[in-house]
Amino acid sequence: MTIESQQLTGADEVEDPILEIKNASVTYDGGDTHVLNDVTFSIERDEIVGVVGESGSGKSMLASAMLDAIPAPGRLSGEILYHPDEDTTIDVLNLSDEELRSYRWADVSMVFQGAMSSFNPTMKVGSHFKDTLRAHDEDVSEGMDFARQLLSDLYLDPERVLDSYPHELSGGMQQRALIALSMLLEPEVLVMDEPTAALDLLMQRSILMLLEDLKEKYEVTMVFITHDLPLVASLADRMAVLYAFELVEAGPRDQIIGQSGHPYTRALLNSTPNIDAPLEDMKPIPGKSPAPVNVPDGCSYADRCPLASEECTAFDPEFQLIEDEHSVACHHWEQARAEIALNFAGADEIGVSKGGDSR
Amino acid sequence: MGNYYIRRTARVFATVFIVTSLTFGLIRLLPGGPFTQLRVRLLRQGVPASEVDARIANLQNIQPDAPLWRQYIDYMLSAMQGDFGESISLGKPVAQVVAEAVPWTVFIVLVSTVLIFLFGILLGAIQAYWEGSRFDKAISALSISLMSIPFYVIAVLALFILAYQFQWFPTAGTHGTDVEPGLTLEFLVSALEHAALPIFSYTIGGIGGQALAMRGNSIQVLGNDYVEVARLRGLADRRIATWYVARNAILPLYTGFLLLLGFRLGGTVILEQIFSYPGLGYYLWSALESNDYPLMMGTFLVITVALVIGVYIADLTYSKIDPRISQGESDAY
Ligand SMILES: Nc1ncnc2c1ncn2[C@@H]1O[C@H](COP(=O)(O)OP(=O)(O)OP(=O)(O)O)[C@@H](O)[C@H]1O
Ligand code: SF4
Ligand SMILES: [Mg+2]
């Protein structure tokens, strides 16, 4: 992919981006291991965007990149631009340590993958809130009032939760407490990395509903990262699909669900468990995704793609706009739409209506 | 929960009771019958045959001709009152010998164990922060070699070189013979001089193990998400280092500390022998050598009870200090 092609893509399709990720790459081992490869993606103000990818595809790397918090010794290159309002641009990767410290959590906050391990086990939950307020020179008693409000918005008993040690709370309660903690400084953007992975189906549902309410009430832009496509499909306005450390498709939710152009997205849609679909219709995607080292020339999905041609293995497919706001990195996206049938009812028309029962 | 405290406390008494009973049984198991040896010795010392039984009764709080159950009850009753009879070799009440010896032993063991933990935790923490550095590797290597040297080897070497060759330190005793015990500077200096080598040799070898444990704990804690999340939340490095890393790394060492304190009391049998340092261990050893059963039992009991109480305190306080541990999980002693 060339830089010029990048500039014509999905990134520019967003009218009022709050966060722009440009050519973000993450490498380990002095550049030999690519765990995020040239990802360009913008997040619109006040939207909920869902990022989907299988385990190990680089989802957490993308999340960390937005806060310039790649785990050492990884190296992040590219550009992360934050726009607190339409006319202001903050270049996140060039912030000083002190500026970065106040940017994180206060401007762009994050719910870490695994709520259970995000709290210090020997500290009460309330102390985590106070620590955060003090670290950002906020008024503690005012901040704690806001914390209580957030907790009750999330249907938790504030006093009880604040006075508990993490292990005294259930998984769902810890998850919600962590969401409250991440909202404590009223961030503009909330990045959530697998916020529901450890929860049962019912809890996942109710957390999604709570998140929608939170988003409305506090006008926060949400990035919801998950491996569970149907889950996020019920919540997101726009979606992006990661495969092997690269973005392969991005677009409005209905487009991704019903009109996806990338063979991987279509395979993903067909492989996800669907309560209505008979078991024999479920197709696990054959093959496995490439390792971070030696990402192959050409399309990284070629090994597993039923439509792979010589062109595919020779040239990297460009991440190109195929229709309004909808970008795909595939040489044969039209063929994919025509030849790879989606196995759930109503697909290829409009998908599943938003907020409806996508499972 | 209250129930747990009661049961746990009852278990301490039960353990002490059983140990005391065992010491009674042990006397009985000695070759040649319960008091044959003692009787022979008293006779040899010129004690008239008519008085021997009375002397034995006095020494051990037991009537040699009473029925076994009677002897047992007498023995237990006086032991409970802290009366262990009279030392045969020293001619003093065992309780008095023990009372004089205990402070010195406690001093040595407490100071050296605290030093082990202080240095171990400090070194281990620094190593973990600079994991893989040259400092880390050097200290790890040193720790492992120190761990493989038994403390008595260090003790003998220290005694031979620093006390006998260089004569920097005294070779025996708890304080100078010409110094009156009391709260005087002279006495304190003299006591420290005498304790320095025992404490040194009892400390140096133990530091390695604690440093390695602390290093391992810290590295494990540093890899936890909550440390990374704390950084993202903008917390100051110092706050993270103390409340998020050190606290979680040190807590698991705490029970080990109290247990070690108890077990190291036992080690003083050898240590105090090497330095002729008249503490508990020293008297236990000399009691063994001179077949001084009352003294043997007294010192043995005190060491055992101290160990049991150490575990008891560790058990009760650990749940206070580490919120993750709920009460009643430990079943030790
Ligand atoms: N510290 C690290 N050093 C080297 N490689 C790493 C490191 N952390 C992660 N990786 C690699 O980076 C790739 C992407 O990791 P990432 O955590 O972003 O995946 P993910 O999509 O979040 O997966 P999951 O769904 O399991 O959370 C993986 O192949 C992983 O092996
Ligand atoms: S570019 Fe080729 S190999 Fe890659 S997804 Fe498209 S059709 Fe498949
Ligand atoms: Mg992840």
Side-chain angles (χ1 to χ4, degrees):
Chain A
M1 266 184 269
T2 60
I3 302 221
E4 294 91 276
S5 76
Q6 284 293 324
Q7 271 148 9
L8 301 171
T9 58
D12 293 325
E13 287 313 304
V14 167
E15 274 175 20
D16 177 16
I18 189 164
L19 204 55
E20 287 182 87
I21 298 136
K22 292 189 171 174
N23 308 98
S25 294
V26 175
T27 54
Y28 279 92
D29 304 335
D32 291 341
T33 311
H34 284 255
V35 295
L36 195 65
N37 203 0
D38 205 13
V39 168
T40 298
F41 186 61
S42 293
I43 292 149
E44 177 137 47
R45 202 176 301 280
D46 285 338
E47 74 170 344
I48 300 184
V49 54
V51 177
V52 182
E54 64 193 77
S55 193
S57 57
K59 301 186 298 292
S60 297
M61 288 297 158
L62 180 59
S64 306
M66 295 183 208
L67 282 86
D68 190 12
I70 298 294
R75 297 230 341 108
L76 169 63
S77 60
E79 248 186 321
I80 310 286
L81 302 179
Y82 168 61
H83 305 283
D85 54 62
E86 243 175 294
D87 312 311
T88 321
T89 300
I90 292 176
D91 183 353
V92 176
L93 300 192
N94 285 322
L95 292 178
S96 70
D97 283 356
E98 196 47 40
E99 287 166 334
L100 189 62
R101 211 171 68 83
S102 71
Y103 163 80
R104 291 172 178 165
W105 223 263
D107 291 324
V108 177
S109 185
M110 176 155 154
V111 176
F112 230 64
Q113 184 166 9
M116 309 284 195
S117 53
S118 294
F119 289 106
N120 178 351
T122 54
M123 228 181 192
K124 289 193 173 170
V125 172
S127 308
H128 291 78
F129 284 82
K130 286 181 196 142
D131 266 1
T132 312
L133 290 165
R134 281 192 206 106
H136 289 263
D137 298 320
E138 299 279 338
D139 183 302
V140 173
S141 77
E142 246 172 61
M144 288 311 284
D145 286 342
F146 184 58
R148 283 187 201 95
Q149 184 190 325
L150 282 168
L151 288 167
S152 35
D153 285 342
L154 290 160
Y155 294 99
L156 291 169
D157 172 0
E159 297 312 326
R160 201 197 126 198
V161 168
L162 290 174
D163 198 39
S164 295
Y165 286 101
H167 72 274
E168 294 168 342
L169 305 177
S170 72
M173 290 164 88
Q174 285 190 39
Q175 188 66 66
R176 282 176 285 162
L178 185 62
I179 292 171
L181 181 61
S182 66
M183 293 281 296
L184 182 65
L185 305 176
E186 298 192 69
E188 296 297 320
V189 182
L190 180 59
V191 181
M192 284 172 287
D193 191 2
E194 301 270 15
T196 60
L199 306 176
D200 61 55
L201 284 180
L202 212 62
M203 200 68 217
Q204 292 189 354
R205 285 271 147 211
S206 64
I207 290 217
L208 285 199
M209 270 150 46
L210 292 176
L211 286 178
E212 265 190 325
D213 296 346
L214 269 194
K215 192 217 154 232
E216 291 305 318
K217 187 164 175 185
Y218 298 104
E219 295 179 340
V220 60
T221 306
M222 284 187 178
V223 182
F224 192 106
I225 296 178
T226 178
H227 65 277
D228 190 342
L229 194 155
L231 181 87
V232 73
S234 63
L235 181 76
D237 302 308
R238 274 189 332 128
M239 293 177 58
V241 181
L242 270 179
Y243 178 77
F245 330 112
E246 290 177 359
L247 210 55
V248 295
E249 184 157 12
R253 170 196 167 275
D254 289 349
Q255 234 57 29
I256 300 289
I257 299 293
Q259 302 284 324
S260 45
H262 199 282
Y264 175 67
T265 313
R266 297 182 83 81
L268 204 58
L269 284 163
N270 284 342
S271 69
T272 44
N274 185 330
I275 286 171
D276 305 331
L279 210 56
E280 55 267 27
D281 280 1
M282 272 177 48
K283 302 173 191 160
I285 308 175
K288 63 185 183 53
S289 61
V293 233
N294 58 53
V295 176
D297 270 345
C299 175
S300 52
Y301 190 54
D303 279 354
R304 301 164 81 181
C305 181
L307 305 179
S309 64
E310 264 177 41
E311 187 188 6
C312 299
T313 45
F315 304 102
D316 250 355
E318 282 175 14
F319 193 58
Q320 58 185 333
L321 211 57
I322 60 166
E323 60 201 17
D324 263 5
E325 300 181 22
H326 185 183
S327 307
V328 175
C330 174
H331 294 302
H332 308 303
W333 59 272
E334 283 163 308
Q335 201 185 340
R337 273 181 167 178
E339 291 180 14
I340 304 176
L342 295 176
N343 63 2
F344 56 91
D348 281 317
E349 278 139 44
I350 192 59
V352 190
S353 70
K354 189 179 174 204
D357 198 5
S358 59
R359 279 187 172 271
Chain B
M1 206 156 273
N3 195 15
Y4 167 75
Y5 288 123
I6 294 169
R7 272 188 295 127
R8 190 63 189 79
T9 310
R11 208 158 66 206
V12 169
F13 285 105
T15 312
V16 171
F17 180 80
I18 291 169
V19 170
T20 317
S21 304
L22 277 178
T23 59
F24 174 80
L26 280 176
I27 308 178
R28 240 116 282 276
L29 285 177
L30 290 169
F35 302 109
T36 322
Q37 258 185 323
L38 188 53
R39 186 169 278 133
V40 168
R41 205 159 77 194
L42 288 173
L43 285 171
R44 241 191 244 140
Q45 284 171 2
V47 177
S50 54
E51 279 177 31
V52 164
D53 271 7
R55 281 295 299 276
I56 290 177
N58 183 34
L59 287 174
Q60 303 228 349
N61 298 319
I62 290 171
Q63 307 290 335
D65 49 0
L68 202 57
W69 62 268
R70 178 81 228 190
Q71 291 184 16
Y72 175 69
I73 290 176
D74 283 350
Y75 174 84
M76 292 301 281
L77 279 178
S78 39
M80 233 176 274
Q81 292 157 11
D83 179 358
F84 301 105
E86 193 167 303
S87 159
I88 300 169
S89 55
L90 302 172
K92 285 198 275 187
V94 170
Q96 189 194 332
V97 177
V98 167
E100 281 168 14
V102 159
W104 297 111
T105 301
V106 167
F107 174 58
I108 298 274
V109 172
L110 201 65
V111 170
S112 68
T113 312
V114 166
L115 285 178
I116 283 179
F117 272 79
L118 281 185
F119 282 111
I121 283 170
L122 214 66
L123 280 177
I126 299 173
Q127 279 180 275
Y129 258 83
W130 291 337
E131 192 196 343
S133 68
R134 230 193 271 154
F135 174 82
D136 177 25
K137 285 179 188 145
I139 296 292
S140 288
L142 189 66
S143 295
I144 292 169
S145 21
L146 277 180
M147 274 168 73
S148 57
I149 307 174
F151 74 86
Y152 46 84
V153 171
I154 298 173
V156 168
L157 286 178
L159 182 71
F160 179 69
I161 297 169
L162 299 178
Y164 281 105
Q165 299 297 117
F166 289 99
Q167 310 211 325
W168 290 344
F169 293 97
T171 56
T174 54
H175 55 88
T177 41
D178 49 343
V179 187
E180 267 302 300
L183 262 182
T184 60
L185 185 67
E186 199 192 1
F187 172 71
L188 290 181
V189 169
S190 172
L192 280 180
E193 256 174 19
H194 283 76
L197 284 189
I199 288 178
F200 169 78
S201 36
Y202 215 25
T203 302
I204 201 79
I207 292 177
Q210 287 308 317
L212 286 181
M214 179 65 187
R215 176 183 182 273
N217 283 359
S218 306
I219 288 172
Q220 188 251 321
V221 170
L222 279 171
N224 271 317
D225 284 346
Y226 58 81
V227 177
E228 180 62 20
V229 173
R231 261 185 218 122
L232 290 185
R233 280 156 55 210
L235 268 57
D237 285 346
R238 184 188 294 189
R239 177 83 184 161
I240 297 176
T242 50
W243 282 84
Y244 288 72
V245 181
R247 189 177 153 85
N248 286 293
I250 292 172
L251 277 182
L253 301 177
Y254 171 75
T255 350
F257 172 73
L258 287 177
L259 289 185
L260 206 61
L261 213 54
F263 284 113
R264 283 162 61 82
L265 269 183
T268 58
V269 175
I270 298 168
L271 183 80
E272 294 179 350
Q273 197 56 38
I274 294 172
F275 289 102
S276 312
Y277 194 86
L280 265 188
Y282 178 86
Y283 283 119
L284 180 53
W285 182 272
S286 56
L288 280 168
E289 275 191 324
S290 56
N291 289 327
D292 187 345
Y293 296 112
L295 186 58
M296 207 187 299
M297 294 314 145
T299 46
F300 177 73
L301 265 184
V302 169
I303 289 178
T304 315
V305 169
L307 175 59
V308 171
I309 290 178
V311 178
Y312 173 67
I313 295 175
D315 250 18
L316 288 195
T317 49
Y318 195 54
S319 59
K320 292 258 176 293
I321 289 180
D322 190 338
R324 286 166 299 185
I325 308 296
S326 54
Q327 264 126 16
E329 277 175 17
S330 159
D331 264 327
Y333 310 100

